[in-house]
Amino acid sequence: MAKKKISPEYKRRVKRSRQFWSMIRVYGFYLTLIIFMIIGFLIWLRPEESEIEKRKLATFPELTWAGLWKGSFFQDMGTWYTDTYPTREKMLGQGSSVKELYGLHGNEIHGDISKKADDIPDSPDSGKKAGIIDTGTTAAPKKEDTTQAVNPSTEKQVEPLTTEATTEKLPDGTKHGDFEETIGTLYIMDGQAFSIYYFNKDNSEYYASMVNTVRSKLPDNVTLYDILAPTAWGALLGKEIQDELGGSSQEEAINYIYGLMDDKVKAVPAHDNILRHNAEYIYFRTDHHWTVMGAYYAYEAWCKSKGIEPHSTDYFKKTYSFDGFLGTFYASSEQSPKLGNNPDTVLAFVPNGTNDEVFTDNNGEQMNWNVIRDVSEWARTSKYNCFIGGDNPYTVIENPTITDGSACVLIKESYGNAFAPFLVDHYQYVYVIDYRYYEGNLTQFVKDKKVNDVILLNNMEALSVSRANTILALFP
């Protein structure tokens, strides 16, 4: 059978058609780029803050001759362009979801987890209390000098921290098993993220010395309580996983640090009570904070140290529940779908005595607020701010149902936000100080306000020389 001959005219039409559609694709691609570029340069559409990452985004650089000459202006403009691109956060989340489609998932490591933890000395064999830090100089000691600041002052042997035995057998929620996924310094297992904890001997000893120094600055009739709050790492993960990841035991670290503190400091063994309840929902899955129940079990331990009866959860007449919370771990894991598909619920108990407070913000402005705020309509990343309005330098809560003049000061970082409401029904005045932002003189403040109790609360990830020095600066 003879092969059909194709005419030259038909070949030319086919070639022109192919060229036409090829040009359409090329111009369509360039047009798409131009549209996205125009959208990217629409300054009035650009976000100024990242809701998920909880940070201020890069700003447009100032145009200077030096910046133009060195090229830094164009580099900074590129950073500004990519950091503030409209819908950037949604695109990051979609990118993470696409990665989930990449075949089978084995053990994954994102970032460097090769950090070396210090060995934790045995508390009974440490043999010495931490010393008092000399605060006569205004210069903060450098980290390499911290071993000098914690020279022991006594040869007294330290008794190991113990708690009373209990006959109540609670379910054990400790997580055991193989790696599931590690993202940066986060370990994600069963839809819950854990920040890897590395014990640092210098930081820990310096923290104990700081607490001893604060105790020395307070009047003898004032009680100083120290609460070291474990994170989800210390309360929920089994030791075999911690060892496999190269991390440290927070329980051993807390016992060591408490063993270095002065006998006049009331070291609250919150870790022991929290561990007993680790089968419960005591830490958020997508955020680094404890839930209200984690804070509650620390409150129970504090009441035992103070010698008072804690209020049961049934005592509180009003509660709030906020669903769909996605916290800091979700942001730092590049919006991992394992966390995004497993959002948290924020529960909060309203004190019976009052739900009113007055806080002073970072600009020095006072605002009437609530101890527990209804944040139902707030962004899903901001639900934890239902507790005392978030991190403000200074907050005052006056309970009108108590008139005995009792007062406490809670010195805290953000873990203290969920803890503070439990104090309201025990004092006439509760003063909350966020030491990261407050700039007053707490030594004089305690005297002027006739404070009975000072409560220092830090989570185990917040122990550092710089933070300890920040607290010390408040007690001149």
Side-chain angles (χ1 to χ4, degrees):
M1 183 177 179
K3 188 176 181 180
K4 186 177 181 180
K5 187 175 181 180
I6 300 175
S7 67
E9 180 62 27
Y10 177 78
K11 291 182 179 181
R12 284 192 294 270
R13 287 201 305 271
V14 170
K15 184 177 181 181
R16 286 195 297 269
S17 177
R18 289 175 177 174
Q19 290 175 338
F20 172 77
W21 288 110
S22 177
M23 292 295 292
I24 289 294
R25 287 192 292 270
V26 170
Y27 286 128
F29 174 73
Y30 282 123
L31 179 62
T32 301
L33 289 181
I34 291 172
I35 291 173
F36 277 102
M37 183 181 68
I38 292 173
I39 293 174
F41 275 108
L42 291 177
I43 298 178
W44 58 88
L45 293 179
R46 307 189 79 88
E48 296 180 354
E49 294 185 3
S50 171
E51 176 187 303
I52 292 176
E53 296 172 292
K54 301 183 187 301
R55 66 176 178 88
K56 290 188 179 296
L57 300 175
T59 57
F60 193 84
E62 182 182 358
L63 181 61
T64 63
W65 284 113
L68 287 173
W69 179 257
K70 295 179 180 178
S72 60
F73 171 79
F74 298 103
Q75 182 178 354
D76 292 342
M77 186 171 70
T79 300
W80 162 81
Y81 183 85
T82 56
D83 200 37
T84 63
Y85 192 87
T87 71
R88 166 182 170 272
E89 291 187 347
K90 289 185 178 180
M91 289 190 288
L92 286 175
Q94 291 169 354
S96 297
S97 298
V98 170
K99 290 180 182 178
E100 286 290 294
L101 304 177
Y102 292 176
L104 298 175
H105 292 274
N107 301 339
E108 297 181 13
I109 295 178
H110 302 257
D112 182 15
I113 61 168
S114 61
K115 185 175 179 179
K116 178 70 174 175
D118 293 341
D119 293 332
I120 303 175
D122 294 331
S123 184
D125 297 333
S126 63
K128 299 172 182 178
K129 298 284 188 183
I132 302 296
I133 299 173
D134 180 9
T135 57
T137 175
T138 56
K142 298 179 181 178
K143 184 175 187 309
E144 56 267 26
D145 296 329
T146 59
T147 52
Q148 298 176 7
V150 295
N151 281 339
S153 60
T154 175
E155 295 294 324
K156 180 179 178 180
Q157 290 292 322
V158 179
E159 293 297 324
L161 186 68
T162 59
T163 56
E164 294 181 9
T166 177
T167 58
E168 183 184 7
K169 181 66 175 177
L170 297 177
D172 184 4
T174 303
K175 294 180 180 294
H176 306 274
D178 298 329
F179 286 104
E180 182 169 317
E181 184 180 10
T182 302
I183 301 181
T185 57
L186 297 183
Y187 171 59
I188 298 178
M189 182 179 185
D190 299 332
Q192 177 151 10
F194 303 86
S195 177
I196 301 176
Y197 169 73
Y198 302 97
F199 175 75
N200 183 290
K201 189 170 182 288
D202 287 348
N203 286 344
S204 299
E205 292 181 346
Y206 196 84
Y207 179 85
S209 287
M210 177 274 294
V211 175
N212 290 346
T213 305
V214 170
R215 172 60 272 178
S216 71
K217 301 281 187 177
L218 296 172
D220 291 338
N221 64 336
V222 174
T223 303
L224 174 63
Y225 298 90
D226 186 78
I227 302 175
L228 287 176
T231 64
W233 169 274
L236 304 184
L237 272 185
K239 192 174 188 307
E240 63 272 23
I241 300 180
Q242 294 179 354
D243 292 342
E244 188 72 22
L245 288 165
S248 307
S249 166
Q250 291 185 352
E251 182 177 16
E252 294 175 9
I254 290 171
N255 287 341
Y256 175 68
I257 295 169
Y258 277 172
L260 296 173
M261 290 184 184
D262 190 276
D263 293 334
K264 294 181 180 179
V265 176
K266 289 222 172 186
V268 179
H271 184 272
D272 296 332
N273 198 38
I274 288 172
L275 267 181
R276 293 179 61 243
H277 295 273
N278 69 0
E280 302 175 29
Y281 184 38
I282 57 176
Y283 287 91
F284 294 118
R285 295 179 291 268
T286 70
D287 189 72
H288 70 285
H289 295 104
W290 52 17
T291 67
V292 73
M293 291 309 300
Y296 177 79
Y297 293 127
Y299 156 74
E300 276 191 336
W302 171 78
C303 286
K304 186 174 182 179
S305 295
K306 184 173 172 60
I308 63 175
E309 192 69 25
H311 295 129
S312 69
T313 55
D314 294 334
Y315 161 86
F316 300 99
K317 298 174 183 177
K318 185 176 181 180
T319 62
Y320 283 104
S321 182
F322 310 109
D323 296 326
F325 175 48
L326 292 174
T328 52
F329 284 159
Y330 176 66
S332 58
S333 66
E334 297 180 353
Q335 303 177 38
S336 166
K338 286 183 172 64
L339 300 182
N341 296 330
N342 201 23
D344 286 294
T345 296
V346 180
L347 180 68
F349 300 109
V350 179
N352 287 352
T354 184
N355 194 32
D356 296 327
E357 68 173 38
V358 178
F359 71 72
T360 303
D361 64 19
N362 288 310
N363 296 319
E365 299 292 329
Q366 286 190 346
M367 183 172 293
N368 294 319
W369 205 251
N370 300 122
V371 179
I372 303 297
R373 188 79 165 187
D374 185 351
V375 296
S376 303
E377 303 304 318
W378 289 24
R380 61 192 314 189
T381 58
S382 302
K383 303 295 186 183
Y384 187 74
N385 287 333
C386 69
F387 300 109
I388 67 170
D391 298 326
N392 293 292
Y394 178 50
T395 302
V396 180
I397 308 168
E398 182 178 355
N399 186 344
T401 67
I402 301 176
T403 58
D404 59 3
S406 57
C408 75
V409 173
L410 173 64
I411 305 169
K412 59 85 185 177
E413 35 78 29
S414 58
Y415 260 59
N417 298 359
F419 182 85
F422 294 116
L423 301 173
V424 174
D425 289 323
H426 291 285
Y427 297 93
Q428 183 175 352
Y429 300 99
V430 175
Y431 304 104
V432 184
I433 304 291
D434 193 314
Y435 62 81
R436 298 168 296 176
Y437 312 113
Y438 187 77
E439 297 180 348
N441 181 332
L442 286 185
T443 304
Q444 192 61 44
F445 181 93
V446 168
K447 296 176 183 177
D448 293 342
K449 298 294 185 180
K450 297 180 173 56
V451 168
N452 310 98
D453 299 324
V454 174
I455 305 166
L456 183 58
L457 192 156
N458 276 281
N459 80 82
M460 287 299 290
E461 292 283 3
L463 306 190
S464 67
V465 169
S466 61
R467 287 205 180 203
N469 280 328
T470 301
I471 297 172
L472 278 177
L474 302 178
F475 291 90

